[in-house]
Each structure stands twice: as structure tokens, then as C-alpha cells.
Amino acid sequence: MRWIETRAALLFISPWLIGFMIFTAWPVINSAYLSLTDYDVINDPNFIGFDNYVTLFEDPKVGLALRNTFIFMIMSVPTQLVVSLGLALLLNSATRATGFFRTAFFLPKMTPPVAVGILLLMLFNGQNGLINSFLGVFGIEGPAWTTDPDWVKPGLVLMSLWTVGSSVVIILAALRGVPQELYDSALVDGAGWWRRTLRITVPMISPTLFFLFIVDSINALQSFTEAYTAFFGSGNTTYSNDAALFYAIYLFQQAFEFLHMGYASALAWLLFIVIMAITAVQILVTRRFVHYEGGQP
Amino acid sequence: MRRRIRLILTWTALSAFAAAFIYPFVWLISASFKPRSEVFDHRILPETFTFDNYIKVWQEAPMALWMFNTLLVTVLAAVAVTITSAMVAWGFAYFRFPGRGFLFGVVLATMMLPGAVTMVPVFLIWNSLGMVGTLTPLWAQNLFGSAFYIFMLRQFFLGLPREPFEAAKIDGANNWKIFTRIALPLCKPAVVVTLLFEFQVAWTDLLRPLIYLRDSSTFTVPRGLKALLDQFGFGGEWHWEIVMTASVIATVPMIIVFFLGQKHFVKGIATTGSKG
């Protein structure tokens, strides 16, 4: 009887089991091996020990890409969180047409990231882009967002705010789950809106904010499409912008433009370690600010 | 009175932000109907209204073919991943077997693995099968389920009462029948969410088409859009109106999909946060 159930279960999970072995387990092993080789797809892999990892630390582009990626993460993740929390709070306190506003905030998330990259180039164009024209109304001369190395990343961060829609939806769902009694008793105590938000709302939804913080950070460390679309391209170097060279972009270039498969594998393992380390630190540091109803899960 | 003022303020703020979020769409769509010289005039309504850009995009790029390729990949990817993920999720949710906890832990662990680690070896697999340059690598991996959807669907299955399944079993239904006739229909909302999510992922992906597609005739819409940008945006020709019009064409199907499945989309995303 037990064996029959096990056999049935194995049949049901077999697609994943097979897929896991072919497309995860084997690639992970192979990637670890390839990272110790020099491999260009055409000739056989040539074992070179830890040379690729030594090269990593000497490659100035790796340092640049890591720095760019960190800066982007540090700028974009908190801004996205604050903006999506703000929008969700506004939505939560509105009484009518919340469906319409929620749709408005979510819709940009449906735009293909390539199109977001293109929109970035248009909207943030230094000479005749919409953003600078808007700033011009107030007499502010906007920077050259898409060409000035100092302003490329802020532009990418601002553009990323356009697609916070899913975070807004997630936070809004959490806000709806905060029990009304908590607010009622706070109102009796005469607590104002700010106080209620900071003392009740934020602690009550802190597990959700924590989840978004971690997930957004992991995503930011791997961000690729928008920056690649706007600042890199096939065979054109005139418009590539070093300030937008994110780690994932450099890895992609090494693997599929220069066919340095071994080096790219080493780059991938460094990324893996960096993501793990950053996530672990974030969890350790922020965990004590997270409030779980009914204790730690 | 104070309450009133607060409501009005909330509404004003919401409207301002909503306008800011919607405006880029309006701007883009409007620009796609403007002649080249007026593209950057930032008027909401085009001064000179023209369909020329759409005709030009259709002439300059095999747009219909790209659409067809994307639709093919997207439908295959979404259907494949939904069926297999549901199967696997059901296997983990309904049956008790030795090693279940461990294997499910492995499913969760694969979600933590950055795609970059497997990107190169997986490319080498498709390369050795001679499939680089075809559309197959863009969707065939979905035949083996996907960890995120397996997790989501399993949660849903676990929430179902067990009685109908036990009753069906006593009536002599086999496991496959129980799964397809009872379990799947009961979790229709989660199945729809999976289909919609994967539809969006597959339709908008750029990385995989960049890695696997070589010839323009095999491009998906996002890959083609990038090619148009490189040619008409950066390529020294500065025909931004073509790039913008193609962006509109690439985005509109997603907007339609969103409005068709809005309820499911919003619900699905709201639950991903709470399950975290």
C-alpha cells in the first residue's frame, strides 16, 4: 500500500525530478567545473585551476560592475519600498475608486522591460525628454540623465519606480489584513495619523515589508534588461555607458559576446556568493525590526 | 470636516500619482501617431495625426512574424509550465512518501539559485542538441515545472478539504482521474494565475531570446524591439518614431491580457506577498 502511494507520488513529481537533474543539478556541477577552465564552446575546455577566480579580482570591470550594482541596489530598493508603501497607504485610506487607482499603479508593471528601457531613453533624454521639459517649467535645468555617468543610475532608479505596481498590490493586501480594533483603541487614545501609521501599521505589516526588501534586493543585484536595453547593444560601443554596467550585463557579455564560458561561470559563482552574503546580512540586521503576530514563525 | 479635508487631500494625491503612472503610456501612444519631426513635442494630442509609423514598422520589420513567434513561445511556455507544475504540486500536496520533506526543500532551494549560475551550462546543453537559433530553448524547460509555481499551487492544494478525494478513491477513481477531474477544477483560480504569470514572463523576456536567437526571422517581439532600437535608435538613423511605435505594439497585448485577467492578476500577486 505504502509503495503504491510512493510510486504514484513519484510519477506526479517526475517532471520536476527529471527537470531538476537535467536543468539544475547537472548545470550546477558543470558550471563549477567550467569555472576552473578556459572554454570558448568551439575548442574543448582547458583546465586552468583557479586562474579565473584570480582574474576576477584583478579585472577592473568586475569591480566597476559590482560597484554599479551595489549603488543601484542601495538607491533603488529603499526608494521603491518607500514609494510603494506610500501609494499603498494612500490607496488604503481612499474610500472610492480604489480599483481604478490600483489599476493605474499596476499597469506599468505589464510593460515589457525592453520597452521600459526604451521609455527611459525617451523620457529622460537630456535635451528634449519629458522629465527635463517638466523640470524646465519650474526653471530647473535637468541633467543629461542618459549620457552623464553621474546621472545614469539615478535615472534608472527613477524609472524603476514606474514599475513598483506589484509591491503596491502586495502591501495593500497586507494593510487590509491589519485588524481594525488596533486602530480603534489607538483613536480612543488620541493618536494621530502619523503615530498610528508608525506605531501600528508599519509594525503590523513588517513581515511583508521585510519580504519585499529581501526579494527586491536579490532582484536588484541581478537587474539586466532595462539597463542593457538602454545602454548596451549588439556591436555598438558608442552608446554603451560604463555607469550602467551592471554585474549581470558584464556576465552576459563575457559569456555570449566574448564566449568566455569559463570566466563567465566563475563570475556567476561570485554573484551567487555575493547574493547569499548580502541576503544573510540583511536578514540578520533587519530581523529584529520585524514583528510577527504570535511570535517567530 | 477634518475627515472631509483629509479625503479630498488623499484623492488629490492619488490622482496626481495615477496621472504620473499613466502619462508615459499616453505620451508613448500619442508619439506613435506623430510624424518624425514632432515626436518630442510632448503634446498629448498629435498636431499632425498619422498612421505612417505603423505602416513603416510593418515594412521595416517582420512584425507579424515576431508576433507569431512570441505567441507560439508564450502559449507553449504557459501551458506547459501550468500542467507540469500542477502535477508536481499535487504530488507533493496529496501523497505521503519517504523523502517528501527533503525533496520539497530542494524545490524551495532551487528558487534561491540565481539564474546566472545555470545560464552557461544550460546554453551548452541546447547547443549540443543543435537547438540554438530555434525557439525551443525559450519554452521547453517549462515541460519540467517551475519551483515558484509548484510552491504556489501546492499551497493552494493543501488548502483543499480531503473528503472529496477520499470519496472518489472509494468509488474507484484512479490517481490521475482524481487529479484531473477533482483537484484541478477545484484550484482553477490558482491555475489561471499560473497561466497569466507565465504568459507575462514569456512574452516580455529579453535575456533568453538574446542568448538563443540569431536570425531576425526567429525573433520574439522583445528581441525584435531591441534590434529595432539598435538599428533605428542608436544606429545613426535616429528614427525614434519607429522604435516608439514598435514599443506600443509590444506593450498592447500585455495590457489586453491584464484587463482580461485583472482580478486573478491582482489576487495572485497579493498572495505571493503573504506566502513569502
Side-chain angles (χ1 to χ4, degrees), chain A residues 5 8-9 15-16 27 31 34 41 103 106-107 109-110 122 128 133 162 170 211 228-230 232 234 239 268 272, chain B residues 21 27 42 95-97 107 114 116-117 121 127 144 175 200 226 229-230 234 238 240 244 254 258 262 269 276:
Chain A
E5 191 174 355
W16 173 78
S31 171
L34 285 174
V41 187
T103 302
F106 187 78
L107 215 46
K109 187 75 197 170
M110 298 305 290
M122 322 258 94
N128 45 17
S133 304
W162 193 50
I170 290 172
F211 164 78
Y228 181 82
T229 302
F232 299 88
S234 46
Y239 274 85
F272 178 63
Chain B
F21 273 72
W27 183 87
H42 305 316
F95 301 101
R96 272 168 280 234
F97 56 97
V107 173
V117 172
N127 190 42
F144 303 97
N175 281 318
Q200 188 198 6
K226 176 62 180 145
L229 173 68
D230 289 345
F234 294 139
W238 304 108
W240 287 106
M244 288 183 201
M254 282 295 94
F258 173 72
Q262 185 171 14
I269 285 166

Side-chain angles (χ1 to χ4, degrees), chain A residues 209-230:
Chain A
L209 296 177
F210 176 66
F211 164 78
L212 287 174
F213 175 64
I214 301 292
V215 172
D216 287 352
S217 302
I218 293 174
N219 288 338
L221 288 171
Q222 301 180 69
S223 57
F224 172 82
T225 305
E226 289 86 348
Y228 181 82
T229 302

Side-chain angles (χ1 to χ4, degrees), chain A residues 17-282:
Chain A
L17 270 178
I18 298 166
F20 171 74
M21 285 186 271
I22 302 175
F23 291 110
T24 307
W26 161 245
V28 165
I29 297 165
N30 198 20
S31 171
Y33 164 70
L34 285 174
S35 75
L36 305 175
T37 68
D38 188 11
Y39 184 43
D40 62 359
V41 187
I42 299 138
N43 302 298
D44 284 342
N46 175 25
F47 189 82
I48 53 169
F50 285 92
D51 280 8
N52 283 328
Y53 291 94
V54 175
T55 316
L56 275 184
F57 288 96
E58 289 162 358
D59 185 346
K61 287 243 170 174
V62 171
L64 175 74
L66 277 176
R67 201 161 48 240
N68 284 339
T69 312
F70 286 148
I71 293 172
F72 177 72
M73 178 187 78
I74 290 165
M75 287 199 295
S76 70
V77 175
T79 346
Q80 284 169 7
L81 263 186
V82 168
V83 168
S84 41
L85 177 62
L87 292 175
L89 283 171
L90 274 174
L91 272 175
N92 198 37
S93 52
T95 44
R96 260 183 251 169
T98 43
F100 166 77
F101 288 120
R102 194 181 52 193
T103 302
F105 296 148
F106 187 78
L107 215 46
K109 187 75 197 170
M110 298 305 290
T111 318
V114 193
V116 176
I118 289 170
L119 266 173
L120 168 93
L121 288 173
M122 322 258 94
L123 300 176
F124 286 86
N125 185 297
Q127 277 138 36
N128 45 17
L130 187 66
I131 302 285
N132 279 1
S133 304
F134 180 73
L135 290 175
V137 174
F138 304 97
I140 304 167
E141 202 184 317
W145 302 91
T146 55
T147 47
D148 184 342
D150 290 336
W151 287 98
V152 162
K153 278 186 283 289
L156 280 162
V157 171
L158 285 175
M159 197 65 216
S160 78
L161 293 179
W162 193 50
T163 48
V164 291
S166 51
S167 302
V168 176
V169 170
I170 290 172
I171 296 175
L172 185 62
L175 288 174
R176 298 251 158 98
V178 180
Q180 188 60 40
E181 304 95 76
L182 289 175
Y183 292 113
D184 294 340
S185 52
L187 273 173
V188 172
D189 293 346
W193 184 86
W194 266 113
R195 235 181 112 96
R196 270 176 293 154
T197 302
L198 285 179
R199 294 287 169 80
I200 301 171
T201 313
V202 172
M204 284 302 287
I205 63 163
S206 56
T208 301
L209 296 177
F210 176 66
F211 164 78
L212 287 174
F213 175 64
I214 301 292
V215 172
D216 287 352
S217 302
I218 293 174
N219 288 338
L221 288 171
Q222 301 180 69
S223 57
F224 172 82
T225 305
E226 289 86 348
Y228 181 82
T229 302
F231 299 109
F232 299 88
S234 46
N236 96 71
T237 45
T238 37
Y239 274 85
S240 70
N241 200 318
D242 269 356
L245 184 74
F246 290 151
Y247 196 87
I249 295 176
Y250 187 56
L251 202 162
F252 171 82
Q253 290 179 330
Q254 284 297 331
F256 300 106
E257 284 176 17
F258 309 130
L259 295 179
H260 296 160
M261 295 291 174
Y263 190 50
S265 300
L267 280 167
W269 283 104
L270 179 65
L271 178 65
F272 178 63
I273 293 164
V274 165
I275 290 177
M276 284 296 161
I278 288 181
T279 309
V281 169
Q282 285 177 334

